Amino acid sequence: MLRHLAQNDSVRSDGCSRYAAGHRVHWIHAKKCRQEPGRAVEILVTSGDVRDDGWVELRAAFDHADNLPAVWTHAPGALRETLASHLGRVYWLESWHALKLVHGGGVDGGAAGLVNVGLEAGVLCETAVRDDRAGGRGSVA
C-alpha cells in the first residue's frame, strides 16, 4: 500500500524493496527532487487513470506545449488507493521521473509525497492474494 509520509519523504509500496524506475523512491532521489526539482508540470490524474498493468497517462492541468509521457508504476492498486484519498495537487517532475503529490501550498509548499515512475514497464510488485472471506475471489495486496 502506498502511504503519505512526512514532508519531503517518499510515497512507498509495502513489500517492495526495489529502487528501479517505477518502484520505491531512494532517499537520494527524494533529496534531488526537493533540492533541484526542475520544471514541475501540474497534472490531472485520478485513481481511474491508473491501469491494471501499471501504466498512467499524464494530462496537463493547464496549457502545456509539450506532450506528457505515459508513466509506469510497480503497484497500480496502491497508487489508485493513494490518488483516491489525495485532496491536493499532483506535479510531474520531468527531470526526475517522479510524481509529486502535494497537500496545500503549491509545488514548493505543504506536505509532499513522491511516486517514482518509469517510462518503460517493469515487474509489478503486487501479488494476488486469496481472500476466503470473499468467497474465494482474489484480491490485490
Side-chain angles (χ1 to χ4, degrees):
M1 161 193 274
L2 295 174
R3 61 186 180 272
H4 291 286
L5 302 174
Q7 182 174 355
N8 298 320
D9 205 344
S10 64
V11 177
R12 301 181 194 163
S13 178
D14 294 339
C16 176
S17 60
R18 295 188 68 198
Y19 291 107
H23 293 266
R24 293 180 65 186
V25 177
H26 190 274
W27 71 269
I28 295 172
H29 190 182
K31 180 179 176 181
K32 289 293 190 180
C33 287
R34 183 179 68 249
Q35 292 178 339
E36 305 167 20
R39 182 172 71 161
V41 177
E42 187 170 355
I43 60 172
L44 299 172
V45 63
T46 67
S47 59
D49 295 322
V50 182
R51 296 185 349 204
D52 290 340
D53 61 2
W55 285 100
V56 182
E57 292 287 335
L58 301 183
R59 296 170 286 137
F62 302 100
D63 289 339
H64 183 70
D66 299 334
N67 289 328
L68 296 179
V71 296
W72 180 85
T73 181
H74 68 127
L79 181 56
R80 275 191 214 103
E81 184 179 317
T82 297
L83 289 172
S85 64
H86 181 68
L87 299 176
R89 296 177 175 192
V90 180
Y91 295 88
W92 163 238
L93 302 180
E94 179 179 26
S95 298
W96 301 108
H97 298 162
L99 302 180
K100 184 173 186 176
L101 285 67
V102 179
H103 293 283
V107 73
D108 294 323
L114 294 172
V115 179
N116 179 15
V117 292
L119 299 178
E120 296 181 11
V123 177
L124 291 177
C125 293
E126 293 181 324
T127 56
V129 176
R130 183 179 171 92
D131 185 354
D132 291 326
R133 293 170 295 159
R137 292 189 303 270
S139 63
V140 176

